[in-house]
Amino acid sequence: MQRNKLREVRKKRGYSQQKMSELLEIARTTYTGYEIGKFAPSLDKSLRIKEILRYKKDDLFEIK
């Protein structure tokens, strides 16, 4: 199962799921899947998410 801090960091930065999905050019349901751990983003998407959220640490995504 994948755990992550996406929701926490996204909300702290003031982004909605809809806005994140638009910036990533993906469906909102796909982004929601990232947040709940249903889907794992590709490396490119993971790096883009970190860039959008201005998140520098390596613990945004954690695989257990």
Side-chain angles (χ1 to χ4, degrees):
M1 175 179 230
Q2 180 178 4
R3 295 179 11 171
N4 62 59
K5 297 180 179 182
L6 274 179
R7 183 172 189 221
E8 173 188 342
V9 176
R10 172 184 59 79
K11 289 184 130 197
K12 190 181 271 188
R13 298 290 193 260
Y15 288 102
S16 66
Q17 288 183 338
Q18 183 64 40
K19 184 63 176 176
M20 288 297 295
S21 65
E22 289 169 6
L23 292 169
L24 293 166
E25 300 177 340
I26 59 174
R28 187 195 52 77
T29 54
T30 300
Y31 181 81
T32 301
Y34 294 166
E35 281 196 3
I36 64 173
K38 185 175 180 182
F39 309 121
S42 66
L43 179 58
D44 289 345
K45 291 292 186 207
S46 297
L47 294 174
R48 180 72 179 123
I49 290 168
K50 287 179 68 172
E51 180 183 311
I52 292 167
L53 296 176
R54 300 176 318 277
Y55 195 82
K56 302 214 184 289
K57 296 180 186 178
D58 287 332
D59 64 348
L60 188 59
F61 300 99
E62 179 182 328
I63 298 176
K64 290 280 182 184

